[in-house]
Structure formats: C-alpha cells, structure tokens
C-alpha cells in the first residue's frame, strides 16, 4: 500500500509535468516487474499499483488504458483465487476512473469477464459481478459502443455450455436490447441460434432470462417488420421448431407464426423446411396442446401464401429465385452454420425492404418440388398421426387448386401413394384423399392427348396395371351395339380412367378394403365427380375383368350403391325411364357388366322398368347353377323390392294390364326361392295384387307392352340376352376350373 501511495504521488507529479514517457515507464515497471512477476506477493502489489496509477491519472487514464488493462486481464487467469480477486478489484478501479474511455477496449474486457462469470470462487464471482454492473452502466450511458466489433465475440461466446457464462451472456443481451442507440435487431441472425440453445438450459432462471430476451426481440420485430432479416433467420427457426425440448419448440413455433404472418411470401422459399417442422406437430396430443395450436396457425398461414400466380411463373424467374432450404432436421453444429450471411435460403444476405401492406407483391418463387417431396414423404410414413395425414392431403388439394399446371408434373409419382391412402383407418383421411384424387381426375390441367403419360406410367416397379383398352375398339363388332359411347367425360381428364382402373385394381387385390370401405369410397366419389361417369367407366373396365369372381362381387357392390344410396338419386331417375339416348347407352353399358351377377342384372331391369326382359332372364335361371350364394342374393333382391326405392314398382302391380311381365317376373323369383322368410314376404306381396284372374290376359297384352318399351328404347334385347348367356357360360367354366384345381390339391394332399 505504501508503494502504491508512492506510485500515485510520482504519477501525479508526472501528470502535472505532462511527462508521458515517465508515466509509461512507471506503468511498465508495475506491469512487467510486479503484476506479471512469478512471485504472488509481487503480482498483488503490481495490481494495486496499477489501480493506484489509474486513480492518479484520473481523466488522463484513457491515454494509457491498453498498458493498464492488459496485465490485469492476464491475472484473471491466475491459479490463485485471491490474485484473481485482486485483479478484478484493480480492473474495477481502472474502469471506474476511465468510464467511457474503456469502450474501445470493450471486447477484451468482456472476454475476461465472461471467463470470471464461471469462476468457481464465490469471492471472485462477486467481484466480477460488481465490475460487470459498472461496465453495463458505462455502455448504457454511452452512444459510442462498437456493436459491429462486438458481435463476432458475442456470437462465439453465446455457444458456451457453462450456466454462469450463459447467464452472463443473456444479461448483456438484455442490456444491449434496452439501449435506444444500439440496434441489436440488425444482428439477430448472428445470435438467434445461440439464444435458442441457451433456452434449453437446465437452470429455470437462465431459461426465464432467455425467454425474456427472445420476447423483447419479437416485440421489436413486430414493431418494425421492414428492417427485419426474416429470410436469414428462417432456417434457424425451422431447426428449432423440431427441437425435443418443449419450450424451445413452442418458442420457435411462435416465432415462425409471426414470421409467416409478418413477412408473407418472403417465407415461401422455406416452405419445405417449415412443413417438415410443422406437420408432425399437428398430431400432438393434449400434453403439447400449445405447440399443436401454434403449428396449426403456421400451417394455415403458409398455405394462404400460395396463389394462382405461382402456377404462371416462368422458368427464368425460377432461375433467379433464392435457393430453397434443405429440409434437414440436423442441429446447427457451429455458430457460423446459423449465420444469416451464409444462410442457404437468404435473399442475398440483405434486408428485404417491404411494408407489411405490400409484402404479398414481392416476387418470390414457390419451391413446389421441395414441398411435394416433404408431403410425399409424410404420406409414406406410416407412423405419423391422423391430423398430419389430413393436413398433408389438404396441402396437396390446395396445390392442385392453386398451381395445377406445376402439380401435374408430380402426379405420376403421387398417384400410387394416394391410392394406398384409401386403405387408411380414418374415414376423414379417406375423404380428403378422395378429394385430391377427384381433383386430379377432373382438373383441366391434367388433360393430355389420348391418355398421355398417365396411361403408361407405372406407379411402382413390380405392379401391373389393368389394361386400358383403346377407346375406338372397346367392344367386338357383335357387342358394339348400345355401347358406342364410352364414358362421356367433358369435365374429366386423362387421369380419370387411370384412376378408375387403379381403384378397381386396389379393390381386387385388397378385398377387405372393398368389403369395409368400398361403398363409402364409391359414394363419396359420386358426390365429388360425375356419378354417371364413374358407373359407366367402372362397368366398361369390369367388362374386361379376368377375375370373374371379383367382377361378380364388384358388380353386386355397385348395384347395391346404385339402388340404395341417396347420392345416386339423380342417376336412378335417369335410368328409370330410359328416355334419352345417353340413359339407354348407360343402361347397355351397365347391363353388359352386370351380367357377371345374374340377380343384379334382374334388379337393373327392375330399376329401368324392363320387366319383360327381367322375366326372360329369370326364365334362364333354370339353366344356371343355383348355389346358396345365388339364393341369398335372390333373398336380398326380394328384401330390396320392399324398400322405398321400389315404391313405383309396387304401385305398378295395380296396373296389371300394362305390366303383366312385372308380375310374371316376381312370380318367377318366388318359384326360385325355397319356402323361407323371403318367400313368405314376396308371396304376401303378390297376394295383394287385385283380381289375380286378370293375369291370364298377360299373353294378349304382351305385344303392346313389349313393343312400347322396345320402340321407345331402340335396345336390342335379343343381343343382350345372348351376351348374358356368354357371360354366364364363362362363369360356369371358371367355377369348374376352380373346382378342378381344388380337387387336384385335395388329391395331392391325400397322396
């Protein structure tokens, strides 16, 4: 202390004499021979001397700060905690005297303090906190802080894993944020990743401090969107939106929500990464309800940014557009990786100038390929939740509506997974899936010459599609009459027929799907698309189906839907009277396929009021193989006749004169049935027919009734009966072949 007093006296004398060289000489002796000495006591004396020297210099200490500070900072690394404390005390006195003059040396002071913040000795930590507060006061009251020079150091130190160092860093960020003359927001891309890392600290206090800091930044962003470098921070948020830590994920998701809403289309180039992060969150349960809700807003807001103009952007604009970010889920390994200047998706690394009101007009290219890749990947992932699958399908539908031309480039790759999604366990997922498929099948953007690429595209290696027949050679010459016109599809495109073929193929290979969801799927398609087109095309395809058993089952399913579903009301009315050429062509097309199932063929004749033809068909039933399944179907037809759908048929029983073949056909069904409950039901119905003796006049009125229907419809019923016989012959041969194979297998088993 005496030596320090002597040094102060000498220094004051030299100051009075303006003897700079002597002052530097004194400081050098205190530094080299004492503060940096090998002897602890000498180091202590040197530190006290340097502090005393600074006090003696007063305002002039700013001229010698480098010489005064450097030896003291060296002692911050001393092994002796007492000397580290004295060094802290000495630096406190030096800084207190110099005040604002220390700012040019701020980085070295900050560097030293950040190390002391994690010092194990409580006294040293206490001393460093006093010095820290003093330095913060100086920075707060000054307008000469070199933020540009400080940011690289802050960016480096923000990745420290030490709790005390993290607390120190956050406290400084909070201080710098509060200074009006310091615009830390400009450099937020440099430190945002580090802040999110700190947000995951084990200490509740540090997490809270970091939350406050991030909250302040977000407030500033909302106040002044035009100056925010949204693009440079987008990838950082994408990464942290996928964090395992709930607080990090929720905070990042909240930031993402604000970014999408504030920056608008500026965020479009990062859509694939955003969706990678957001989509899985939509299936979170109530434990992560907050994250799920924010993710949903992000998803909806992002979807609204896609506009029809995105479909019209030419390739030249695409070439000059900012590159899309990789949809990576890997964490940022280095601070530089999160740096805005090198961001893969940044727009020139510069501030995007726009006002929130006009942000939508910014020319930004939609990275459709990346988005579709992410959506396709999520559909293939069987582990994702129902709400995520629904969101993916909503996105696909939205893209087909807004950007159909570009989306159809991806249709051949998406088509197989969309078909597989029809087997989903959720009805809601299937509904959304059908909406997408219906849009694909009906969009004008999907129209190609003939059947274009959709006809030949193979959904997956190893899968064999059903053959699509040439539209000009649909039937042989003998079967062409009545089916000249293929499905009239003015609103359909080349994918429609492909869709119908593959849907039937899926029903064929996955019978459980047909049993549990077949009717549901077809009924929904009839709402989404043209019911006539669907039935016409399916009947046309089934006419060539080689698996006769499946064809019979499928026809039975279609017939049940046709006769019972409210969605098919208009189509039933169209078929009821066969007044137009279109309705007659449809009937002929359905009839030929319906022949795969004799009972459904009769029911189609009942629906279309072809009672004589129904009677002629039933007459042929005596030549068919009557099985239990066959009788069961007759039983179901009787039940169906009692339903509201056939009210008109039952009322026509009152007009025996004009409907004699209706009664004969019903009696024919009665004779086919064993004396079961269905037999009793139909028998009671026929007993209600008035004046049974009038049935005797049926032969006399046959010509008038038959000719009326024939002349009205111009349908060759003889040819239709011949077709029925051919189909039944094929079914008989197929049954015999199946029975033969079964017998052979049985014999092999016996042998």
């Amino acid at each position: 202390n005496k030596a320090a007093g002597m040094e102060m006296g000498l220094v004051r004398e030299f100051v009075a004499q303006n003897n700079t060289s002597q002052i530097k000489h004194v400081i050098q002796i205190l530094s080299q021979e004492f503060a940096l000495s090998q002897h602890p006591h000498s180091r202590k004396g040197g530190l006290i001397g340097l502090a005393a020297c600074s006090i003696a210099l007063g305002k002039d200490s700013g001229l010698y700060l480098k010489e005064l500070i450097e030896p003291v900072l060296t002692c911050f690394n001393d092994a002796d905690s007492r000397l580290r404390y004295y060094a802290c005390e000495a630096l406190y006195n030096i800084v207190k005297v110099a005040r604002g003059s220390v700012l040019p040396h701020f980085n070295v002071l900050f560097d030293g303090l950040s190390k002391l913040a994690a010092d194990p000795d409580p006294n040293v930590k206490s001393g460093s906190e006093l010095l820290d507060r003093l330095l913060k006061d100086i920075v707060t009251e000054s307008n000469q802080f070199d933020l540009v020079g400080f940011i690289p150091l802050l960016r480096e130190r923000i990745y420290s894993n030490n709790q005390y160092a993290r607390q120190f860093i956050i406290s400084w960020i909070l201080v710098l944020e509060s200074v009006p003359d310091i615009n830390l927001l400009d450099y937020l891309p440099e430190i945002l990743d580090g802040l999110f890392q700190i947000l995951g600290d084990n200490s509740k206090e540090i997490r809270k401090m970091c939350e406050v800091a991030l909250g302040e930044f977000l407030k500033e962003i909302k106040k002044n969107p035009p100056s925010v470098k949204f693009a440079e921070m987008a990838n950082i948020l994408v990464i942290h939106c996928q964090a395992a830590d709930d607080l990090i994920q929720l905070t990042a998701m909240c930031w993402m929500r604000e970014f999408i809403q504030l920056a608008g289309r500026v965020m479009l180039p990062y859509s694939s990464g955003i969706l990678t992060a957001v989509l899985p969150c939509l299936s979170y349960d109530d434990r992560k309800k907050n994250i799920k809700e924010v993710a949903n807003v992000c998803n909806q807001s992002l979807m609204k940014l896609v506009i029809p103009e995105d479909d019209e952007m030419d390739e030249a604009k695409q070439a000059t557009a900012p590159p899309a970010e990789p949809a990576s889920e890997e964490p940022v390994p280095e601070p530089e990786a999160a740096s805005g200047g090198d961001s893969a998706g940044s727009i020139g690394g510069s501030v995007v100038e726009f006002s929130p009101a006009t942000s939508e007009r910014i020319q930004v290219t939609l990275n459709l390929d990346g988005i579709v890749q992410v959506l396709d990947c999520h559909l293939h992932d069987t582990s994702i939740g129902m709400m995520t699958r629904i969101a993916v399908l909503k996105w696909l539908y939205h893209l087909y509506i807004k950007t159909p031309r570009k989306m159809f480039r991806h249709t051949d790759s998406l088509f197989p997974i969309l078909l597989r999604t029809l087997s989903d366990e959720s009805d809601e997922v299937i509904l959304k899936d059908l909406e997408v498929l219906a849009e694909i099948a009906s969009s004008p953007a999907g129209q190609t010459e003939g059947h274009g690429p959709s006809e030949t595209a193979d959904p997956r290696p190893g899968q064999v599609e059903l053959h699509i027949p040439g539209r000009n050679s649909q039937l042989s010459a003998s079967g062409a009459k009545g089916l000249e016109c293929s499905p009239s599809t003015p609103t359909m495109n080349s994918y429609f027929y492909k869709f119908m073929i593959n849907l039937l193929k899926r029903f064929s290979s996955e019978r459980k799907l047909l049993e549990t969801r077949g009717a549901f799927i077809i009924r929904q398609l009839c709402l989404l698309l043209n019911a006539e087109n669907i039935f016409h095309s399916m009947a046309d395809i089934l006419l060539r189906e080689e698996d006769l058993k499946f064809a019979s089952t499928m026809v039975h399913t279609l017939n049940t839907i046709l006769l019972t579903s409210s969605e098919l009301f208009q189509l039933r009315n169209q078929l009821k009277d066969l007044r137009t050429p279109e309705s007659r062509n449809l009937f002929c097309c359905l009839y030929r396929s319906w022949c795969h199932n004799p009972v459904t063929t009769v029911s189609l004749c009942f629906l279309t009021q072809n009672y004589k033809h129904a009677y002629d068909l039933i007459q042929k039933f005596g030549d068919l193989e009557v099985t239990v399944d066959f009788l069961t179907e007759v039983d179901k037809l009787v039940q169906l006749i009692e339903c509201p759908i056939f009210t008109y048929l039952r009322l026509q029983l009152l007009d025996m004169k004009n409907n004699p073949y209706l009664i004969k056909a019903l009696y024919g069904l009665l004779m086919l049935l064993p004396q079961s409950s269905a037999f009793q039901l139909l028998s009671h119905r026929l007993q209600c027919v008035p004046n049974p003796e009038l049935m005797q006049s049926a032969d006399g009125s046959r010509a008038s009734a038959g000719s009326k229907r024939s002349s009205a419809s111009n349908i060759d019923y003889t040819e239709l009966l011949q077709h029925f016989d051919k189909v039944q012959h094929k079914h008989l041969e197929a049954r015999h072949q199946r029975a033969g194979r079964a017998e052979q297998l049985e014999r092999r088993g016996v042998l």
Side-chain angles (χ1 to χ4, degrees):
N1 288 339
K2 285 181 182 179
M6 290 174 62
E7 295 296 344
M8 283 182 71
L10 277 172
V11 170
R12 279 175 179 161
E13 186 178 330
F14 292 146
V15 169
Q17 297 171 2
N18 198 23
N19 193 337
T20 305
S21 60
Q22 285 298 328
I23 293 171
K24 285 188 176 181
H25 182 65
V26 171
I27 293 173
Q28 187 178 10
I29 291 171
L30 288 170
S31 172
Q32 299 298 324
E33 297 184 16
F34 289 91
L36 301 177
S37 168
Q38 296 296 318
H39 198 278
H41 291 293
S42 297
R43 292 202 294 278
K44 178 184 174 184
L47 290 168
I48 294 171
L50 287 169
C53 189
S54 177
I55 293 168
L57 284 166
K59 292 181 180 179
D60 291 334
S61 63
L63 300 170
Y64 309 96
L65 277 175
K66 188 174 187 297
E67 293 82 357
L68 290 166
I69 289 172
E70 283 185 353
V72 178
L73 286 174
T74 302
C75 291
F76 274 17
N77 299 317
D78 201 290
D80 189 338
S81 60
R82 288 174 300 174
L83 276 168
R84 294 199 300 277
Y85 175 77
Y86 290 130
C88 199
E89 188 178 51
L91 190 57
Y92 178 87
N93 288 315
I94 293 169
V95 171
K96 189 174 183 180
V97 172
R99 301 298 293 182
S101 300
V102 302
L103 288 178
H105 307 278
F106 178 80
N107 276 14
V108 291
L109 294 173
F110 182 87
D111 185 45
L113 271 175
S114 67
K115 293 171 183 174
L116 286 189
D119 199 285
D121 187 275
N123 291 324
V124 176
K125 275 185 67 179
S126 177
S128 72
E129 285 168 6
L130 287 171
L131 175 57
D132 182 46
R133 280 199 290 273
L134 174 61
L135 201 55
K136 283 172 180 170
D137 288 341
I138 293 169
V139 169
T140 302
E141 67 191 22
S142 171
N143 58 0
Q144 297 177 346
F145 182 72
D146 181 13
L147 185 61
V148 176
F150 172 60
I151 287 298
L153 180 61
L154 178 60
R155 186 177 64 188
E156 176 193 338
R157 289 304 160 91
I158 204 168
Y159 284 96
S160 171
N161 289 323
N162 183 280
Q163 285 190 352
Y164 298 108
R166 283 179 161 182
Q167 192 169 18
F168 172 78
I169 291 288
I170 290 294
S171 68
W172 266 100
I173 289 173
L174 285 166
V175 167
L176 294 174
E177 273 191 292
S178 67
V179 180
D181 293 332
I182 296 176
N183 186 11
L184 198 55
L185 189 61
D186 279 349
Y187 302 93
L188 183 57
E190 308 276 340
I191 61 172
L192 185 61
D193 179 65
L195 282 170
F196 274 107
Q197 301 272 10
I198 294 175
L199 192 59
D201 196 272
N202 293 327
S203 165
K204 287 184 180 179
E205 184 182 353
I206 293 172
R207 287 164 76 97
K208 188 63 183 174
M209 285 177 67
C210 194
E211 267 194 280
V212 171
L214 285 166
E216 290 300 316
F217 275 123
L218 197 55
K219 283 180 188 175
E220 288 185 53
I221 288 169
K222 290 179 183 179
K223 285 179 186 175
N224 196 15
S227 65
V228 179
K229 299 174 182 177
F230 290 106
E232 295 183 19
M233 294 183 278
N235 284 329
I236 298 169
L237 294 184
V238 165
I239 289 165
H240 292 291
C241 279
Q242 300 170 72
D245 183 283
D246 285 359
L247 179 59
I248 295 176
Q249 190 178 27
L250 177 59
T251 307
M253 201 67 76
C254 289
W255 275 60
M256 184 67 80
R257 176 189 62 197
E258 299 301 330
F259 271 37
I260 296 170
Q261 292 176 351
L262 293 170
R265 287 177 59 81
V266 170
M267 297 298 286
L268 267 187
Y270 311 92
S271 300
S272 57
I274 296 170
L275 287 174
T276 299
V278 166
L279 287 172
C281 302
L282 302 178
S283 292
Y284 283 174
D285 56 26
D286 287 344
R287 289 173 293 180
K288 294 186 176 184
K289 185 180 178 182
N290 291 342
I291 298 173
K292 179 180 179 178
E293 289 174 353
V294 180
N296 189 50
V297 176
C298 287
N299 183 56
Q300 297 293 331
S301 301
L302 187 64
M303 194 179 287
K304 289 175 184 176
L305 298 181
V306 182
I307 55 177
E309 284 75 12
D310 288 316
D311 205 32
E312 300 162 8
M313 203 168 292
D314 57 53
E315 301 303 322
K317 289 176 183 175
Q318 290 183 17
T320 58
E325 84 294 352
S328 168
E329 298 187 22
E330 295 179 7
V332 178
E334 300 288 344
E336 288 76 18
S339 164
D342 297 326
S343 173
S346 65
I347 302 180
S350 61
V351 177
V352 180
E353 295 293 336
F354 67 98
S355 67
T358 61
S359 64
E360 297 303 315
R361 297 174 192 168
I362 289 182
Q363 192 62 268
V364 179
T365 301
L366 177 69
N367 174 26
L368 193 64
D369 292 356
I371 293 175
V372 172
Q373 186 179 0
V374 171
L375 297 175
D376 183 65
C377 182
H378 278 80
L379 269 189
H380 275 91
D381 185 358
T382 55
S383 65
I384 63 169
M386 180 188 74
M387 297 308 296
T388 299
R389 296 199 298 279
I390 291 171
V392 168
L393 293 165
K394 282 182 177 178
W395 258 102
L396 288 172
Y397 182 75
H398 184 71
L399 292 172
Y400 271 109
I401 294 292
K402 297 294 182 183
T403 59
R405 186 174 60 84
K406 289 183 178 178
M407 276 302 291
F408 267 93
R409 299 171 190 169
H410 300 279
T411 298
D412 282 337
S413 62
L414 287 170
F415 205 64
I417 186 61
L418 289 171
L419 283 167
R420 282 203 294 277
T421 305
L422 291 174
S423 302
D424 197 276
E425 59 188 17
S426 162
D427 284 355
E428 196 172 348
V429 171
I430 294 174
L431 279 173
K432 293 299 173 189
D433 190 39
L434 288 170
E435 284 182 19
V436 179
L437 286 164
E439 183 59 30
I440 290 172
S442 60
S443 172
Q447 189 64 56
T448 57
E449 291 298 323
H451 286 282
S454 65
E455 181 177 333
T456 56
D458 189 9
R460 278 286 180 270
Q463 282 191 355
V464 181
E465 289 189 15
L466 294 174
H467 172 64
I468 301 178
R471 308 305 284 153
N472 296 327
S473 58
Q474 287 188 4
L475 293 173
S476 63
S478 62
K481 190 175 288 188
L483 194 59
E484 312 73 49
C485 111
S486 63
S488 53
T489 58
T491 59
M492 303 297 119
N493 59 37
S494 54
Y495 280 92
F496 174 78
Y497 208 68
K498 178 187 174 83
F499 177 27
M500 293 298 106
I501 286 173
N502 283 277
L503 179 59
L504 288 173
K505 182 179 182 298
R506 190 145 194 89
F507 285 149
S508 177
S509 61
E510 203 173 328
R511 297 298 172 88
K512 188 176 180 183
L513 176 65
L514 177 59
E515 292 170 12
T516 58
R517 296 281 174 71
F520 171 71
I521 289 170
I522 294 167
R523 287 172 62 186
Q524 292 304 318
L525 283 175
C526 288
L527 288 174
L528 294 165
L529 296 168
N530 183 288
E532 180 184 352
N533 288 336
I534 289 167
F535 271 76
H536 205 151
S537 59
M538 283 191 169
D540 193 22
I541 296 162
L542 287 169
L543 194 57
R544 293 154 186 80
E545 175 60 54
E546 294 179 1
D547 184 346
L548 298 180
K549 192 172 183 181
F550 165 69
S552 176
T553 304
M554 193 66 224
V555 162
H556 178 75
T557 303
L558 288 170
N559 188 66
T560 303
I561 296 167
L562 176 64
L563 294 180
T564 61
S565 299
S566 57
E567 295 86 354
L568 276 297
F569 174 78
Q570 188 174 349
L571 190 60
R572 282 196 297 272
N573 275 353
Q574 185 180 338
L575 286 166
K576 190 174 176 182
D577 295 318
L578 300 180
R579 289 176 180 172
T580 64
E582 291 78 16
S583 63
R584 293 194 287 271
N585 281 333
L586 177 60
F587 165 71
C588 289
C589 180
L590 295 182
Y591 180 94
R592 294 178 184 283
S593 286
W594 261 230
C595 286
H596 282 298
N597 190 305
V599 180
T600 61
T601 315
V602 171
S603 67
L604 180 64
C605 291
F606 281 158
L607 174 66
T608 55
Q609 302 185 66
N610 279 296
Y611 301 136
K612 180 182 184 305
H613 194 71
Y615 172 69
D616 291 340
L617 285 173
I618 293 170
Q619 289 287 85
K620 290 180 174 290
F621 283 7
D623 299 327
L624 301 180
E625 185 180 359
V626 178
T627 62
V628 173
D629 289 340
F630 178 87
L631 291 174
T632 302
E633 289 194 27
V634 176
D635 190 300
K636 289 179 180 176
L637 177 56
V638 170
Q639 303 287 343
L640 201 58
I641 290 169
E642 294 297 317
C643 292
I645 199 73
F646 278 122
T647 301
Y648 69 91
L649 180 146
R650 297 195 300 275
L651 287 172
Q652 285 173 347
L653 291 173
L654 297 173
D655 185 7
M656 290 187 55
K657 183 177 179 182
N658 290 316
N659 298 294
Y661 285 102
L662 170 58
I663 295 174
K664 294 186 78 170
L666 292 178
Y667 268 106
L669 290 180
L670 189 67
M671 296 309 153
L672 284 172
L673 285 167
Q675 296 197 22
S676 58
S677 57
F679 177 91
Q680 298 297 330
L681 188 66
L682 184 54
S683 177
H684 289 156
R685 172 62 64 187
L686 290 170
Q687 286 171 19
C688 295
V689 176
N691 301 321
E693 64 275 5
L694 289 178
M695 289 181 65
Q696 312 243 329
S697 66
D699 289 337
S701 61
R702 180 186 307 173
S704 60
S707 60
K708 182 181 178 182
R709 167 61 73 183
S710 299
S711 60
S713 63
N714 295 322
I715 294 172
D716 186 347
Y717 287 97
T718 303
E719 189 273 327
L720 291 180
L721 281 173
Q722 289 172 357
H723 178 77
F724 178 83
D725 289 338
K726 287 178 185 176
V727 174
Q728 294 313 308
H729 182 68
K730 284 183 182 178
H731 277 269
L732 183 62
E733 286 183 347
R735 279 196 294 272
H736 288 162
Q737 287 174 5
R738 286 197 297 270
R741 283 195 295 270
E743 188 177 346
Q744 285 178 3
L745 290 172
E746 189 177 349
R747 284 176 181 173
R748 287 175 188 171
V750 171
L751 292 173

